[in-house]
Amino acid sequence: MNEIYDVAIIGGGPAGSTAACLLARAGRRVVVLEREKFPRFHIGESLLPYSMPVFDRLGVREELDRTAQPKHGAELLTACGERHVVFHFADGFRLKHHRSYQVERATFDKLLLDNAAKHGAEVREQVAVERVAFDETGVTLQIKGADGESVRARYVIDASGRNTVIGQQEGLKKSYPHLNKFAVYAHYENVVRREGPDGCTLTRMVRARDRWFWVIPLSDTKTSIGMVTDTATFKKWRLSPEDALEAGFREQPHFREILTGAERVTPIYSTGDYSYRNTRLSGPRWLLAGDAAGFIDPVFSTGVFLAIASGEQSADAIHTALDRPAEAPRLFAGYEKRFGKIMSLYLRFVDSWYAHEFIEVISQPTRRFDLPGAVNAVLAGNINGGFSIWWRMQLFYLVVFLQRFVRLCPRLSLTPAPAPAPAPTPEPATPCAP
């Protein structure tokens, strides 16, 4: 442990790789400690347009343009079949960025991690951090199962995902009991898509009464499909994740249609109780970034967006702190305030999504006050849209609230039509008597 790094980063996912690349390009000595071996399967495959400037800073946009599926917006279908609304980013309120990407995370995450290494970050895979110790001059990271091996750095960014090494160690991790959800998902080949560019560039959300589905086109032929419901609801079904997903498909006419002839090409994955937040995001020599800071819900594809944004902001804060240590408390407090505000913004959006009235309002858009454009802007990641977006979103939330008591928009059952009964087998013909 003779060497000392400027920054040690726990985790090589989007947050850690983004921070590592930016710090290394700025001339800092950076080490990334990643517990897995890339590439590895991961969920969170739909990116937001307001990550594009960071991709430019990282120097990966040309490669993403060449290899990733374009994303131009999202569409919402109701399970009852009464509503289908499309949000193209080009129609968002004063949006500067109108497109993004759909990605396979195994490929995308490896691209970012390799890019960090290319720009000078030292990357160590299959290295797990067991504990972090702080003192007045730096940080010591104990490596798990390595006979006392440790890494010494001046600062540390915890981007370790749901493991949130520092969050767990300091007892900061708090779950959202009202967002105790269960997700089950897989990849499929040859899912039926509607004709035209929307069929392969839009994220689709299908909303039912007690669950919702995502449909994400990852390539010209491969599609990610998942289902999310309350954990308590899933337990009541008494089904395996595989059976629950298949039962969900059978109940929805939309999936009975689009999965005709489709083939599942991955195992069925599942995860639960994934919504949480840490009560603090910074300390004297540490910052939390990405999922290590918190994760809200997959519904609006904000996970990777927040990871990349926090990776960029944490890198910028520490880069300045290395030159002017006396400013570190102010810089870190500013980072925590900004990122906490962003998470609160999306938490309110997610809370509204799970209200029945939200679906009735958002699927019956009106052009008055350009409320759909403001919702679209938030969906695109425009978190700094200023007062013009803020007041429109407050009005939107007010309409959702009033919908509980007054029928401002048509009510929706969100209940799918039952599957048609199979045709009866005809009785064999009785020969005529001679």
Side-chain angles (χ1 to χ4, degrees):
M1 198 185 66
N2 295 324
E3 299 176 299
I4 182 166
Y5 296 89
D6 292 318
V7 187
I9 298 175
I10 309 172
S17 295
T18 296
C21 176
L22 296 177
L23 286 164
R25 291 183 66 174
R28 303 304 184 182
R29 190 151 189 262
V30 183
V31 62
V32 179
L33 306 172
E34 167 54 50
R35 68 185 180 124
E36 295 188 60
K37 176 67 177 175
F38 283 26
R40 84 290 189 251
F41 183 89
H42 209 283
I43 204 64
E45 300 148 322
S46 194
L47 310 185
L48 302 188
Y50 272 65
S51 291
M52 298 296 261
V54 188
F55 295 147
D56 287 332
R57 283 190 71 183
L58 297 174
V60 299
R61 186 161 172 178
E62 183 177 337
E63 179 67 12
L64 288 170
D65 282 340
R66 188 179 67 83
T67 61
Q69 192 79 356
K71 175 185 176 182
H72 294 156
E75 58 183 337
L76 171 64
L77 286 73
T78 56
C80 53
E82 295 183 32
R83 295 286 183 273
H84 179 192
V85 59
V86 174
F87 294 90
H88 289 114
F89 293 133
D91 299 327
F93 184 80
R94 299 179 184 174
L95 285 183
K96 295 180 181 178
H97 308 284
H98 296 160
R99 69 182 184 91
S100 187
Y101 308 103
Q102 317 278 22
V103 297
E104 288 194 57
R105 284 289 300 279
T107 304
F108 175 74
D109 289 7
K110 183 166 173 40
L111 168 66
L112 295 187
L113 188 61
D114 289 347
N115 186 62
K118 182 179 74 173
H119 286 93
E122 180 182 337
V123 175
R124 303 188 195 177
E125 295 180 90
Q126 296 179 297
V127 174
V129 175
E130 188 170 45
R131 185 168 179 80
V132 183
F134 304 96
D135 56 58
E136 292 184 358
T137 61
V139 186
T140 302
L141 297 89
Q142 299 292 335
I143 306 303
K144 186 175 182 179
D147 296 326
E149 181 187 352
S150 60
V151 170
R152 182 75 177 166
R154 291 182 175 85
Y155 293 96
V156 61
I157 297 174
D158 184 353
S160 58
R162 291 179 64 182
N163 293 321
T164 185
V165 173
I166 294 176
Q168 295 280 18
Q169 178 178 305
E170 302 295 320
L172 305 175
K173 189 175 181 180
K174 304 296 181 183
S175 64
Y176 294 116
H178 67 294
L179 290 177
N180 191 353
K181 304 294 181 181
F182 180 84
V184 55
Y185 45 88
H187 288 175
Y188 296 80
E189 285 281 353
N190 301 318
V191 173
V192 175
R193 296 176 183 170
R194 58 194 179 100
E195 295 182 0
D198 283 358
C200 56
T201 65
L202 300 184
T203 293
R204 179 177 301 169
M205 295 176 287
V206 180
R207 185 66 157 83
R209 177 168 288 276
D210 63 350
R211 70 199 76 173
W212 66 272
F213 300 81
W214 74 71
V215 182
I216 301 173
L218 299 176
S219 71
D220 290 341
T221 61
K222 186 182 291 186
T223 304
S224 171
I225 303 180
M227 178 179 70
V228 177
T229 190
D230 288 336
T231 300
T233 301
F234 169 72
K235 289 179 178 179
K236 288 179 182 177
W237 293 341
R238 298 183 181 275
L239 297 172
S240 68
E242 294 82 358
D243 290 341
L245 186 59
E246 293 300 325
F249 291 157
R250 288 195 298 270
E251 292 175 5
Q252 304 292 328
H254 179 70
F255 289 100
R256 295 199 298 268
E257 175 185 343
I258 69 172
L259 292 177
T260 302
E263 176 187 4
R264 179 164 58 84
V265 292
T266 69
I268 291 180
Y269 298 91
S270 62
T271 183
D273 193 21
Y274 43 71
S275 297
Y276 60 90
R277 187 170 176 175
N278 285 287
T279 55
R280 290 171 56 207
L281 305 182
S282 67
R285 291 193 172 270
W286 55 270
L287 295 174
L288 304 184
D291 287 357
F295 183 81
I296 301 169
D297 194 89
V299 60
F300 297 123
S301 305
T302 57
V304 177
F305 168 72
L306 293 177
I308 291 170
S310 63
E312 178 186 36
Q313 293 179 25
S314 62
D316 290 344
I318 287 182
H319 175 61
T320 303
L322 284 163
D323 287 334
R324 300 193 291 273
E327 295 188 27
R330 177 185 64 81
L331 292 165
F332 288 12
Y335 166 81
E336 180 167 354
K337 182 178 180 179
R338 286 192 305 275
F339 194 55
K341 184 178 179 181
I342 296 169
M343 286 198 293
S344 295
L345 182 153
Y346 281 115
L347 176 61
R348 186 178 185 187
F349 210 13
V350 168
D351 283 343
S352 294
W353 163 261
Y354 285 107
H356 199 115
E357 297 80 21
F358 180 94
I359 308 304
E360 293 171 341
V361 173
I362 201 172
S363 64
Q364 186 73 23
T366 173
R367 289 289 135 194
R368 296 190 67 183
F369 306 112
D370 201 7
L371 297 188
V375 172
N376 196 339
V378 176
L379 288 173
N382 185 9
I383 53 179
N384 298 309
F387 182 74
S388 58
I389 289 181
W390 179 86
W391 75 259
R392 286 174 169 84
M393 289 304 301
Q394 305 316 303
L395 182 56
F396 172 77
Y397 290 132
L398 176 61
V399 174
V400 171
F401 174 76
L402 293 176
Q403 176 72 5
R404 297 183 191 176
F405 311 103
V406 183
R407 187 177 176 273
L408 301 176
C409 301
R411 302 294 185 187
L412 298 173
S413 71
L414 301 182
T415 302
T425 303
E427 293 290 337
T430 303
C432 296

